[in-house]
Structure formats: structure tokens, C-alpha cells
């Protein structure tokens, strides 16, 4: 064959091989450094000029210290049958290496990716595990499930990560008493925690509505106390209350508890069990009536809330509790036992001759100090068994045991008090950590307990209050998100409420509070997007904040509304409810009449999906200046005082959205001034009224109007409750004259009486739009 012909054939063959190679290169995923998205965000991440090609068969090596993470590696990396891992006999033969580095702190890791290998450095098992979780979030989401993939390799960018946690306690809580979740569901919950480097699982195992842990010494706790005769349907505030009439319950055997605890340990998670005392004990007292102060038989609770039957602090009760705790301690190797301590009504103790005699014998001041005595007895017992007591912030009442750790839920004030007294603190306030609250203020959200806690607010949380000095701040051990399940009847609903707020809390406790959360939140959403895709593959349910359009109302001149999507590249269209054509949104929209504004994302798959809807009610008070003599509670002030006359009503069925202002125990004086005198026919105040949530509308308010000629007009209006919602209104008739100023005095309901939810606590007042017609 002629040389030129041979050369031509060789050249053709080379071209074909090159084309095949190029074609193959296009077939597999290649992650660019700019696309790296890890939650929680690492402390340091730098690009390296390299690219690692992950093969279908990958060899790994782990130093002896990291032996406990190898089961995870083999189970996770072997989950998808298209890719496998095999253990190499030595480091030189491995492409993925876990290497000991004693210069690193506990739980810290370094992750390095170059052309040849992936290296994870750590000094302990937890650090190695967290390095793997960061690597996990770089891999294709398909790794989270089995399935045949159409590629045999993928590329990761060169990078160098140095990372470690800001807080020791990085927790999530799950209530299994109100609604029960099987062990497999708990494991799936732990899986997501592990991916986010969270390390404390607070397992709420007992409450009024069910006892969920087998105690062999006291079998009736689960045989009887693990089941209720019926369950409340709808919301607690619905009147009349309705029930399903079906027996409900379940419990974990001790073998199942061991299984869950071992599984958590394999994910570097410590399980903290909660055994409620002295309150929230109705299921236990139902099983063993002698544990209560009356000795009377009672049912396992069938609805939510707080109940007056609590443990009576007799020697027999302590003997029972010590017996329970002995079995609990044997099942949970972690350092803490959570004993609740919250919402313990004192009515039974006040009427008990035994309790009153015990108060005198112990030289106690009152029933609150009796609770402190109760907690100290339990703390002493736990300390003697090598455990630490953890309790909700009510354990501060009557004096705090010096060995106890406080979990602050009624705000951060309890945590501040505990830290100043030298006790450890875990922050878990309702304002930022209660994931049973609504996460979206649209009316199509599934039923929840109330309140409003959007993702962005969780992300903005700072667990360390500014009131603490440096030494006291060191006692803030961390924070956690709480998932109370009164209204979560399925695992799917529970996940929907937990995710992605869990992701925001994970970033708070791992990476620390952000100096400017509004600036960093868009990047969090960018990193959240691929993680939500990963949840899809994992089969998890979640709320999608990336489909939410938010608004801001400006009243500087006319009433205008600004719209924005969560991501910068999302284009918005809007229309008024009585119009059909969609208009491209380019600038703030002027509100010229009472109407409903709707908005959607341009080009979205579902053209009929409305991502935003807001009803505006224009009235004569829109441009008035309003001041209040008390500041709203920080947890319920997202809209500020401007929300009282912006033309938007708060939700009729939930409190806490940005239109409701919440005040805890305060009498209020509202001052309204008009730049030019106005003539009004009426003034209407809107209040939220939900006694089951400690929220009470006032019985009556008073107004004092200043007329243009200097005279005054005084009147009082009684409350009118809307039977179809949780809203109560006060409507004041106004004089047919010009008005320059109105003063409104709104009395707080006061202390919640015995027998009501929250008895003994101050009532909340929630105020909505002040409509002036």
C-alpha cells in the first residue's frame, strides 16, 4: 500500500477516535467549580486547576481511625448500581482516601480534589464523615437511588475545602407522640440530618397523647398509654371540635430503639430522648393513675394542648420515674436525657394536701419552687448515672439546678437567663425554630398549628444574643429546629414542613450566623436548588421556596407594591383579578383601587399556576402616620407598624404573617395622625383570637378622636367575633366631622386563667389592619 494511503487511513482512524472521544466527553456530567453548591456552606473553599474523573469502579482507602465510616461509604457509593467502590489494601492504590490529621480540631475536615485523587483529612470519625457529606453534595443526584445511568464516569472540579462547625449542638427534633412515625421513617429523617452535618437528634417520645417507648418494668405505659381512643380533626381552634372516632397509636420496642440509636451513631448523630415530666404526662397517668395527684382514672389525651393532670411528686412517683430512667439510660449512650419540664400547670399541686405539705417541709415558697425541687431530684439521679439533664426553659422557674442545660423555646430570654447563671444553653425559640408553623402565607398551604416562619427568617437566626458577654456566649452550645406533629398526620406532611427549613438551620449551626443574611440569602437559595433535586431522587417531600414570589409595600407617595422571585433570573408577570392579560413586571405597581393582584413566573411549566395573590383594600387611613407606645414582640414584627395601614389584611386562620403584629401581655396605645383633616364614617380594628394558642382579643377598646376645631370625641366598641375564622373585630362609629388625630387604647386580656391553655401566662394580643372608611 502506498505510504500516502496508509497515512490517510491512519489520519482517518485518529479523527474517528477523536470524534468518539469528544462525543463520549459530552455524554457524562461535568461539575464546574462555579456550580459547587454545598449546604451548610464551608468556611473556606478554593478552586484548584484540576479535574478528577470519577470512574465506574473506584477504589477507596481509610486510615484505621475512620473505620466506622466505611460502612456508610460502601452503602452510599454502592447505592447506584452503575457505580461501585472497592476497598484498596493501601493508600497508594486508592483514588478516594481518608487520612488522619491530628492538627485538625474535633469534627473538622479538609477535602482536596486534584487530577489523581480525592483526599479527606480529619482527626476523628465525625470529621471524616462530614468530609464525605460535602463530597456527597458534589456528586450527581442520581447517586441517591438505584438505577442504570447512561454514563460511566463524571468529572469533579479541583478544589480545596477547609471546614468545621461553629456550634457543638446542631440539632433537629421530632415529636412522635402526637403522631407516630415508624423506625424506617425516623431513619429517613436521620439520613437528611446526616447529609447536613447535624449531630443531635432530639426524640420526643412521651406526651399527653401517647407514650412511645417500651419500658419493661411498666408495660401498661405502652399497652395502654401508647394508644388514644380518637384524634382531633381539623384545627384545635375550630368550634365545635370534631374527632375521628378511631383508636390511634403505636410504640417502639426496646430493640427498635436500639436499632434507631445504632443507625444514628453510624451517621455521627447522638440521640437525645425526651421523657416529659412533671407535665405532659397524661398518657403515663392514664396507664398508672396513682402517679397523678387525684388518683382518678383519665384517658390518654385525644386533642392537643396542655392538661392539668401532671406527675405528683410523691416517693412512689419518683420511684416510678427512676425506674423508667434506668431503662432509658441503658438504651441511649449520649450525654443528655431531656426531661421536658415545660407547660406544667400547678392546679393539681395547689389542691393537693400532699404537695402543700411537701412545700412546707422543704421550705419552698410556692408551686414553682416545688417544680424546681422536682427537677433537682431528677437531675441528681441522672448525674449519679453519668447523665446530664436537659429541659425546656420552664425549668428556670423557682430556681435552676446548676448541672442542668436549658433549651430555650419561649424566645431567647430563658437562654439569656440560663447563660448568665452559668448553665449551658441550646437555643430553640418559636420565632426561628418551630417548623410546625406555616412557612408560606398563601391560603393553599396545608393545615398547621399557626404562626408564620418562612425559610428566610430561619436562615437569619443568630443563636447568640447580643446581651451576653464573651464568657456567657460560650455557654450557647448551639440550636435546633423543632418539628411538633399535631397537624402532621403522615411522613410526607412531616417532611414537607421540615424541609427546607432544616437546611437553613443546618447552615446557622454549622457555619454560624451571617453578618448580613439578606445579602447571603440569595446564594443560599442558589445552593439549595440542586439539594432540592437531590431530595427528589431520595423520595423526600418538601416545600419549594423557589416557586414563591414575595412582595414589599411602599407608601412614600402612593401605595406601590414591588415583586421579586427568589432567584435573580426569574421574570415575573402580573395582572389584576378582573383583567385577563398578563403584564411583564418591570417596576413597582401602583395600587389605585381595592382589588386582587396576581403574579406568576414567565415561562413556567404550569401556565395556570399563580405564584402570588394579594387582596388590597384601600381606605382613608393609608397615608396616616401611626405610632404604638409598645414595641411588637420580635417574633411577630416582620411587617412593622406600617402593616397596620397598608391595605392588606392578615390571614383569617393563622397568626404571625407579616400583617399581624404580636404583643405579649402589653396594654397598647395607638396614635394615628392625619396630615390633612379627614371625615370618617367608621374605624375598624382587627384582632386575632385563638385561646388555644394563648391569643386573646381584648373585650373592648376605647378611642379618643381630636376634631379639626379642637374638640374631642370619645367612644367604646365591644368585640365581635367572626364565627367562621379566628378574627374578631371592633367597629367604632365616628362623628360626621373632620378629624386630625385618633388615639386608641387597647387593653391586654391579662393572665390566662386556670383551666385554659397557657394558664398562668400572659395573654398575647395580635393586631391587624386598622381600616378607616
Amino acid at each position: 500500500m502506498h505510504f500516502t494511503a496508509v497515512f490517510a487511513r491512519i489520519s482517518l482512524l485518529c479523527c474517528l477516535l477523536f470524534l468518539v472521544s469528544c462525543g463520549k466527553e459530552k455524554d457524562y456530567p461535568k461539575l464546574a467549580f462555579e456550580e459547587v453548591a454545598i449546604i451548610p456552606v464551608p468556611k473556606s473553599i478554593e478552586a484548584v486547576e484540576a479535574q478528577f474523573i470519577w470512574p465506574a469502579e473506584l477504589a477507596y482507602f481509610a486510615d484505621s481511625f475512620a473505620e466506622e465510616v466505611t460502612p456508610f461509604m460502601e452503602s452510599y457509593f454502592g447505592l447506584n448500581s452503575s457505580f461501585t467502590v472497592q476497598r484498596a489494601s493501601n493508600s497508594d492504590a486508592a483514588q478516594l482516601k481518608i487520612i488522619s490529621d491530628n492538627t485538625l480540631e474535633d469534627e473538622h475536615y479538609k477535602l482536596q480534589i486534584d487530577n489523581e485523587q480525592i483526599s479527606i483529612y480529619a482527626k476523628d470519625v465525625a470529621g471524616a464523615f462530614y468530609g464525605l457529606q460535602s463530597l456527597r453534595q458534589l456528586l450527581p443526584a442520581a447517586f441517591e437511588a438505584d438505577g442504570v445511568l447512561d454514563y460511566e464516569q463524571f468529572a469533579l472540579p479541583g478544589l480545596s475545602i477547609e471546614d468545621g462547625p461553629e456550634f457543638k449542638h446542631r440539632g433537629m427534633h421530632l415529636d412522635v407522640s402526637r403522631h407516630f412515625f415508624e423506625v424506617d421513617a425516623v431513619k429517613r429523617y436521620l439520613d437528611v440530618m446526616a447529609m447536613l452535618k447535624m449531630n443531635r437528634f432530639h426524640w420526643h417520645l412521651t406526651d399527653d397523647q401517647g407514650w412511645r417507648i417500651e419500658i419493661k418494668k411498666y408495660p401498661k405505659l405502652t399497652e395502654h398509654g401508647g394508644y388514644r381512643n380518637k384524634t382531633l380533626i381539623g384545627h384545635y381552634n375550630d368550634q365545635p371540635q370534631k374527632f375521628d372516632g378511631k383508636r390511634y397509636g403505636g410504640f417502639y420496642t426496646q430493640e427498635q430503639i436500639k436499632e434507631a440509636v445504632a443507625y444514628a451513631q453510624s451517621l455521627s448523630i447522638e440521640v437525645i430522648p425526651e421523657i416529659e415530666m412533671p407535665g405532659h404526662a397524661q398518657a403515663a397517668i392514664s396507664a398508672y393513675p396513682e402517679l397523678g395527684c387525684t388518683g382518678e382514672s383519665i384517658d390518654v389525651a385525644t386533642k392537643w394542648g396542655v392538661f392539668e393532670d401532671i406527675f405528683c411528686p410523691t416517693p412512689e412517683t419518683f420511684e416510678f420515674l427512676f425506674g423508667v430512667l434506668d431503662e432509658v439510660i441503658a438504651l441511649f449512650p449520649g450525654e443528655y436525657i431531656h426531661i421536658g419540664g415545660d407547660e406544667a400547670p400547678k392546679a393539681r399541686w395547689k389542691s393537693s394536701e400532699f404537695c402543700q405539705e411537701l412545700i412546707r417541709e422543704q421550705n419552698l415558697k410556692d408551686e414553682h419552687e416545688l417544680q424546681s425541687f422536682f427537677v433537682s431530684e431528677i437531675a441528681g439521679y441522672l448525674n449519679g448515672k453519668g447523665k446530664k439533664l436537659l429541659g425546656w426553659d420552664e425549668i428556670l422557674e423557682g430556681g435552676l439546678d446548676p448541672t442542668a442545660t436549658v433549651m430555650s423555646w419561649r424566645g431567647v430570654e430563658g437562654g439569656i437567663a440560663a447563660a448568665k447563671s452559668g448553665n449551658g444553653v441550646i437555643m430553640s425559640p418559636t420565632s426561628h425554630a418551630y417548623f410546625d408553623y406555616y412557612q408560606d402565607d398563601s391560603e393553599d398551604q396545608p393545615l398547621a398549628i399557626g404562626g408564620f416562619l418562612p425559610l428566610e427568617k430561619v436562615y437569619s437566626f443568630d443563636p447568640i444574643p447580643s446581651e451576653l458577654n464573651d464568657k456567657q456566649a460560650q455557654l450557647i452550645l448551639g440550636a435546633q429546629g423543632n418539628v411538633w406533629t399535631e397537624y402532621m398526620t403522615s411522613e410526607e406532611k412531616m417532611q414537607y414542613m421540615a424541609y427546607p427549613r432544616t437546611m437553613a438551620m443546618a447552615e446557622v449551626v454549622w457555619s454560624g450566623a451571617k453578618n448580613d443574611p439578606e445579602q447571603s440569602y440569595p446564594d443560599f437559595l442558589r445552593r439549595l436548588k440542586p439539594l432540592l433535586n437531590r431530595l427528589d431522587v431520595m423520595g423526600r417531600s418538601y416545600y419549594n421556596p423557589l416557586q414563591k414570589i414575595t412582595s414589599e409595600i411602599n407608601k412614600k407617595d402612593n401605595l406601590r407594591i414591588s415583586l421579586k422571585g427568589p432567584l435573580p433570573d426569574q421574570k415575573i408577570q402580573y395582572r389584576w383579578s378582573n383583567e385577563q392579560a398578563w403584564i411583564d413586571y418591570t417596576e413597582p405597581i401602583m395600587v389605585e383601587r381595592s382589588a386582587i393582584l396576581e403574579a406568576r413566573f414567565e415561562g413556567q411549566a404550569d401556565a395556570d399556576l399563580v405564584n402570588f395573590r394579594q387582596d388590597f383594600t384601600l381606605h382613608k387611613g393609608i397615608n396616616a402616620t401611626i405610632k404604638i407606645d409598645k414595641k411588637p414582640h420580635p417574633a411577630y414584627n416582620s411587617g412593622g407598624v406600617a402593616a397596620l395601614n397598608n391595605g392588606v389584611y392578615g390571614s383569617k386562620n393563622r397568626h404571625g404573617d407579616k400583617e399581624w403584629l404580636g404583643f405579649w401581655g402589653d396594654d397598647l396605645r395607638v396614635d394615628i395622625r392625619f396630615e390633612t383633616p379627614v371625615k370618617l364614617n367608621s374605624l375598624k380594628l382587627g384582632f386575632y383570637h385563638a385561646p388555644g394558642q394563648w391569643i386573646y382579643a381584648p373585650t373592648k377598646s376605647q378611642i379618643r378622636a381630636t376634631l379639626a376645631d379642637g374638640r374631642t370625641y370619645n367612644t367604646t366598641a365591644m368585640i365581635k367575633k367572626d364565627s367562621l375564622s379566628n378574627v374578631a373585630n371592633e367597629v367604632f362609629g365616628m362623628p360626621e366631622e373632620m378629624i386630625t388625630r385618633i388615639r386608641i387604647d387597647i387593653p391586654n386580656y391579662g393572665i390566662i386563667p386556670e383551666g385554659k391553655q397557657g394558664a398562668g401566662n400572659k395573654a398575647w394580643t395580635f393586631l391587624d389592619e386598622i381600616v378607616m372608611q
Side-chain angles (χ1 to χ4, degrees), residues 625-645:
T625 299
I626 297 183
K627 295 182 179 180
I628 307 179
D629 68 335
K630 304 290 193 314
K631 289 184 178 181
H633 191 278
Y636 304 103
N637 188 31
S638 59
V641 176
L644 294 179
N645 63 329

Side-chain angles (χ1 to χ4, degrees), residues 177-363:
S177 296
R178 277 51 176 255
H179 283 100
F180 180 66
F181 300 93
E182 300 287 351
V183 171
D184 286 345
V186 173
K187 287 182 177 180
R188 287 187 284 269
Y189 192 75
L190 293 168
D191 285 338
V192 176
M193 285 182 59
M195 182 169 62
L196 300 169
K197 307 182 182 76
M198 303 189 93
N199 67 343
R200 298 288 186 271
F201 173 50
H202 177 176
W203 205 355
H204 187 83
L205 290 164
T206 73
D207 215 297
D208 300 299
Q209 296 82 10
W211 184 285
R212 307 293 180 215
I213 177 173
E214 178 190 26
I215 302 297
K216 294 183 177 180
K217 188 175 181 180
Y218 301 105
K220 288 196 292 185
L221 285 173
T222 47
E223 292 172 0
H224 176 88
Y227 297 87
R228 56 180 180 259
N229 294 327
K230 57 185 178 181
T231 301
L232 183 70
I233 298 174
H235 199 279
Y236 182 93
N237 292 323
D238 294 345
Q239 294 296 328
Q241 291 180 332
K242 297 179 181 179
F243 297 83
D244 62 8
K246 300 176 182 178
R247 187 170 185 261
Y248 178 90
F251 64 92
Y252 307 105
T253 66
Q254 292 199 359
E255 289 305 309
Q256 289 175 317
I257 293 287
K258 291 176 184 177
E259 177 187 349
V261 170
Y263 188 78
Q265 287 178 318
S266 74
L267 303 176
S268 290
I269 295 173
E270 177 184 315
V271 182
I272 300 173
E274 182 176 0
I275 308 297
E276 277 271 18
M277 61 184 83
H280 286 294
Q282 187 159 321
I285 297 172
S286 180
Y288 296 96
E290 63 272 20
L291 300 173
C293 287
T294 68
E296 298 175 357
S297 296
I298 56 174
D299 291 331
V300 177
T302 58
K303 58 184 179 181
W304 326 125
V306 180
F307 302 89
E308 292 190 348
D309 286 288
I310 68 175
F311 286 128
C312 204
T314 63
E316 293 76 18
T317 296
F318 283 117
E319 180 183 358
F320 163 81
L321 291 172
F322 295 159
V324 168
L325 291 173
D326 283 344
E327 295 192 34
V328 171
I329 288 168
L331 293 169
F332 296 92
E335 63 177 331
Y336 286 113
I337 302 294
H338 200 303
I339 60 98
D342 62 310
E343 297 178 326
K346 306 302 188 293
R348 295 286 188 258
W349 286 1
K350 287 180 179 179
S351 61
S352 164
E353 292 184 11
F354 172 84
C355 291
Q356 294 306 308
E357 180 61 28
L358 183 59
I359 288 172
R360 289 189 289 271
E361 287 179 1
Q362 297 294 326
N363 293 317

Side-chain angles (χ1 to χ4, degrees), residues 463-651:
I464 301 180
S466 59
E467 293 90 335
L468 301 180
N469 61 36
D470 291 344
K471 183 178 179 181
Q472 294 163 348
Q474 292 176 5
L475 292 169
I476 307 298
L477 306 178
Q480 73 176 34
N482 294 334
V483 178
W484 300 102
T485 63
E486 285 94 333
Y487 300 96
M488 302 180 200
T489 56
S490 67
E491 182 184 4
E492 181 182 26
K493 173 74 176 292
M494 179 266 287
Q495 292 173 352
Y496 180 87
M497 298 300 288
Y499 311 136
R501 289 184 286 193
T502 299
M503 288 68 182
M505 182 61 73
E507 184 141 320
V508 166
V509 291
W510 178 272
S511 308
K514 303 295 186 291
N515 292 328
D516 192 345
E518 290 186 4
Q519 293 296 318
S520 57
Y521 184 66
D523 180 67
F524 171 76
L525 292 178
R526 177 192 68 82
R527 289 180 284 113
L528 180 64
K529 187 174 182 179
L531 189 56
L532 295 182
N533 294 336
R534 193 169 295 274
L535 290 184
D536 285 330
V537 178
M538 296 171 71
R540 302 299 195 270
S541 174
Y542 59 87
Y543 164 78
N544 191 346
L546 304 181
Q547 295 179 346
K548 175 70 174 177
I549 294 174
T550 56
S551 67
E552 282 191 17
I553 297 174
N554 189 305
K555 299 188 297 180
K556 188 173 183 180
D557 298 314
N558 301 99
L559 191 65
R560 297 177 185 269
I561 181 166
S562 301
L563 303 176
K564 68 175 182 178
L567 299 177
D569 58 346
Q570 292 171 301
K571 295 182 179 179
I572 296 172
Q573 297 176 319
Y574 74 93
R575 69 181 180 188
W576 292 101
S577 55
N578 57 349
E579 300 171 355
Q580 295 301 314
W582 289 96
I583 303 168
D584 291 338
Y585 172 78
T586 57
E587 61 183 2
I589 306 162
M590 185 182 296
V591 182
E592 299 178 290
R593 63 190 184 280
S594 295
I596 298 174
L597 181 68
E598 297 179 333
R600 69 178 186 182
F601 291 117
E602 180 184 351
Q604 62 187 9
D606 183 358
D608 295 326
L609 178 64
V610 175
N611 306 81
F612 172 87
R613 182 179 283 106
Q614 185 67 73
D615 192 348
F616 286 93
T617 301
L618 292 190
H619 56 84
K620 294 180 180 179
I622 293 292
N623 293 318
T625 299
I626 297 183
K627 295 182 179 180
I628 307 179
D629 68 335
K630 304 290 193 314
K631 289 184 178 181
H633 191 278
Y636 304 103
N637 188 31
S638 59
V641 176
L644 294 179
N645 63 329
N646 63 2
V648 178
Y649 288 103
S651 169

Side-chain angles (χ1 to χ4, degrees), residues 7-196:
F7 181 79
R9 294 185 107 184
I10 292 174
S11 298
L12 179 61
L13 179 60
C14 288
C15 287
L16 289 172
L17 289 172
F18 178 78
L19 290 172
V20 170
S21 172
C22 289
K24 189 172 183 179
E25 180 137 344
K26 293 180 181 178
D27 289 339
Y28 64 83
K30 303 174 206 57
L31 183 72
F33 180 78
E34 293 76 19
E35 298 173 308
V36 169
I38 299 173
I39 294 178
V41 65
K43 292 194 179 307
S44 170
I45 180 168
E46 296 180 357
V48 174
E49 279 196 41
Q51 185 181 67
F52 179 80
I53 304 299
W54 190 295
E57 295 183 2
L58 179 129
Y60 79 90
F61 175 83
D63 275 348
S64 58
F65 85 97
E67 187 64 32
E68 291 179 39
V69 303
T70 58
F72 172 82
M73 295 179 69
E74 294 181 356
S75 63
Y76 175 73
F77 293 115
L79 187 61
N80 190 283
S81 55
S82 294
F83 288 84
T84 60
V85 295
Q86 292 182 343
R87 190 165 190 172
S89 58
N90 59 74
S91 176
D92 293 337
Q95 297 142 300
L96 173 58
K97 305 175 183 182
I98 300 180
I99 303 167
S100 176
D101 185 346
N102 288 324
T103 66
L104 295 173
E105 298 179 47
D106 291 347
E107 298 190 289
H108 286 234
Y109 71 91
K110 291 192 293 186
L111 171 61
Q112 296 179 347
I113 300 178
D114 58 31
N115 289 322
E116 306 298 326
Q117 62 191 14
I118 299 173
S119 303
I120 295 173
Y121 299 88
K123 71 175 290 188
D124 56 10
V125 171
F129 185 79
Y130 300 144
L132 284 170
Q133 298 312 308
S134 287
L135 175 61
R136 174 185 188 177
Q137 293 190 44
L138 302 178
L139 305 182
F143 261 55
E144 303 293 342
D146 192 12
V148 179
L149 305 178
D150 59 359
Y151 51 88
E152 297 178 352
Q153 61 186 32
F154 57 87
L156 297 180
L159 54 78
S160 177
I161 292 176
E162 295 189 17
D163 200 11
E166 189 73 19
F167 292 101
K168 177 181 178 182
H169 184 105
R170 306 181 299 280
M172 281 300 297
H173 154 287
L174 180 62
D175 164 25
V176 296
S177 296
R178 277 51 176 255
H179 283 100
F180 180 66
F181 300 93
E182 300 287 351
V183 171
D184 286 345
V186 173
K187 287 182 177 180
R188 287 187 284 269
Y189 192 75
L190 293 168
D191 285 338
V192 176
M193 285 182 59
M195 182 169 62
L196 300 169

